[in-house]
């Protein structure tokens, strides 16, 4: 593979845009480790969100992935296009579909399945994007994502830890989560203020625990953590459940309403949500 060629728009002419979370990966070793974690097979379809200047994109293509890359910044899309034009290795880029779009608004349902998602994500969209990708979980075989370390820790957190919350429960309910390694700010340019971490998220065929109503389960979990300082019974009341129903459900599920959300396991949330389900709608 030839070295990256000069772009019509030289990288130094492009100033990283803070508002789009542009911290470009400059450590080839980390790039290789991301791809190793994703165990890319030739011909496999990979969706990359935020290809930036194309470092990860090029590495994915070198591993013979079929890549759909979604980038919001027109200047960066032009850099990649210039690289493609300047490259002698036209065969390499024939497997790339480059789209200029906002990933948060992109119709993922139209993407050819199955696919993996590999991305060094802009931090400002990581949580909404994770929820958006979860809606497509039946079509995604694995997500390998570089996130702000604190967000990765929240996703992988166990009950009782200070990072444990709705994000941990919802992700662990639908997927298998593995925090792979942490990454120093020195591996990016410009350097972010915080450390990053690589996380691997593999959607499960069916949720980890069977619940009667997934929408209700999500409402209970989100409700319990919307008011983090509140006790469970108060938090659920704030989330719109009636006092009578909360008390009956807590009794039925043998759960103390003075507990706080962060002390409940995923199973306990499932039992509580099923108890609310059997009590019917308010
Ligand atoms: N993948 C590149 C790398 O590793 O060097 C760039 C990673 S940088 C952390 C995040 C990238 O996501 C930037 O290129 C940024 O322009 C892009 N981006 C930001 N918001 C986006 C959005 N809503 N949709 C698609 N791309 C976005």
């Amino acid at each position: 593979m030839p070295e990256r060629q000069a772009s019509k728009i030289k990288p130094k002419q492009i100033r990283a845009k803070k508002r789009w979370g542009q911290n470009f990966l400059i450590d080839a070793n980390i790039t290789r480790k991301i791809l190793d974690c994703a165990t890319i097979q030739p011909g496999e379809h990979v969706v990359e969100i935020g290809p930036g200047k194309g470092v990860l994109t090029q590495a994915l293509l070198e591993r013979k992935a079929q890549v759909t890359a979604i980038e919001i910044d027109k200047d960066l899309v032009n850099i990649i296009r210039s690289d493609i034009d300047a490259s002698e290795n036209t065969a390499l880029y024939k497997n790339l579909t480059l789209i200029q779009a906002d990933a948060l608004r992109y119709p993922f349902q139209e993407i050819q399945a199955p696919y993996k998602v590999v991305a060094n994500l802009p931090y400002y969209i990581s949580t909404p994007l994770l929820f958006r990708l979860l809606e497509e979980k039946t079509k995604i075989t694995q997500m390998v994502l570089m996130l702000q370390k604190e967000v990765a820790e929240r996703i992988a957190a166990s009950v009782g830890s200070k990072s444990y919350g709705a994000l941990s429960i919802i992700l662990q309910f639908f997927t298998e989560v593995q925090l792979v390694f942490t990454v120093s700010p020195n591996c990016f340019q410009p350097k972010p203020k915080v450390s990053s971490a690589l996380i691997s998220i593999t959607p499960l065929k069916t949720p980890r625990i069977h619940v009667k109503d997934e929408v209700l389960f999500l409402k209970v979990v989100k409700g319990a953590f919307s008011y983090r300082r509140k006790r469970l019974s108060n938090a659920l009341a704030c989330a719109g459940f009636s006092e009578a129903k909360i008390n009956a459900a807590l009794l039925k599920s043998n759960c103390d309403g003075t507990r706080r959300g962060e002390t409940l396991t995923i199973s306990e949330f499932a039992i509580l949500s099923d108890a609310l389900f059997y009590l019917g709608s308010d």
Side-chain angles (χ1 to χ4, degrees):
M1 174 62 208
E3 284 296 308
R4 172 169 285 261
Q5 314 238 339
S7 304
K8 279 181 202 151
I9 303 170
K10 293 196 178 75
K12 60 178 176 234
Q13 289 180 302
I14 296 286
R15 286 186 52 193
K17 295 169 186 125
K18 237 178 168 174
R19 70 178 185 284
W20 282 332
Q22 292 177 355
N23 301 101
F24 302 107
L25 201 51
I26 52 163
D27 187 320
N29 196 33
I30 300 293
T31 307
R32 185 185 50 74
K33 282 162 107 176
I34 294 173
L35 297 190
D36 287 350
C37 176
T39 58
I40 307 294
Q41 301 302 314
E44 199 163 37
H45 188 194
V46 176
V47 174
E48 186 190 1
I49 294 154
K53 295 175 190 170
V55 172
L56 209 47
T57 324
Q58 188 169 350
L60 284 163
L61 291 167
E62 284 167 11
R63 296 225 181 166
K64 306 208 175 334
Q66 199 77 39
V67 181
T68 300
I70 305 169
E71 171 60 58
I72 199 167
D73 186 345
K74 194 155 50 100
D75 293 339
L76 291 174
V77 168
N78 284 336
I79 283 190
I80 299 178
R81 291 214 170 110
S82 301
D83 275 359
I84 297 171
D85 291 346
S87 173
E88 284 161 15
N89 192 351
T90 45
L92 182 75
Y93 290 104
K94 79 175 190 335
N95 290 330
L96 172 65
T97 305
L98 184 59
I99 298 163
Q100 194 218 325
D102 178 349
L104 284 178
R105 293 160 185 264
Y106 192 75
F108 279 90
Q109 63 278 8
E110 288 172 13
I111 292 179
Q112 188 205 331
Y115 59 90
K116 285 181 178 169
V117 179
V118 175
N120 170 19
L121 280 185
Y123 297 149
Y124 80 104
I125 60 166
S126 52
T127 306
L129 192 73
L130 271 168
F131 283 118
R132 177 69 195 89
L133 292 172
L134 266 189
E135 290 170 26
E136 304 298 322
K137 59 187 176 303
T138 55
K139 298 178 204 145
I140 299 175
T141 52
Q142 187 189 10
M143 300 180 231
V144 176
L145 308 173
M146 182 76 75
L147 299 169
Q148 194 175 329
K149 183 171 164 243
E150 186 229 317
V151 175
E153 283 171 351
R154 278 167 52 207
I155 292 171
S158 309
V159 64
S161 75
K162 75 173 190 329
S163 305
Y164 184 72
L167 196 63
S168 337
I169 296 171
I170 295 168
L171 264 295
Q172 292 172 33
F173 180 71
F174 289 114
T175 72
E176 187 67 49
V177 165
Q178 189 200 355
L179 199 158
V180 191
F181 55 81
T182 56
V183 183
S184 149
N186 295 332
C187 299
F188 304 91
Q189 199 168 62
K191 276 189 207 174
K193 288 199 176 70
V194 292
S195 291
S196 304
L198 191 75
I199 196 151
S200 167
I201 300 172
T202 306
L204 299 168
K205 294 259 177 296
T206 54
R208 191 168 296 281
I209 296 163
H210 176 77
V211 292
K212 291 286 166 198
D213 182 339
E214 279 178 21
V215 176
L216 179 62
F217 172 78
L218 297 178
K219 185 177 169 191
V220 172
V221 172
K222 286 180 183 166
F225 288 97
S226 302
Y227 307 90
R228 221 180 153 80
R229 298 276 137 244
K230 284 198 192 294
R231 297 176 192 286
L232 191 56
S233 52
N234 293 340
L236 291 176
C238 291
F241 295 98
S242 73
E243 202 183 318
K245 206 169 151 185
I246 294 167
N247 290 337
L250 287 168
L251 194 67
K252 200 167 169 211
S253 52
N254 203 14
C255 183
D256 181 351
T258 64
R259 288 171 68 182
R260 293 182 205 280
E262 58 265 36
T263 69
L264 267 73
T265 62
I266 301 180
S267 311
E268 286 178 306
F269 271 111
I271 292 167
L272 182 59
S273 123
D274 278 358
L276 286 162
F277 172 84
Y278 285 119
L279 289 162
S281 51
D282 280 321

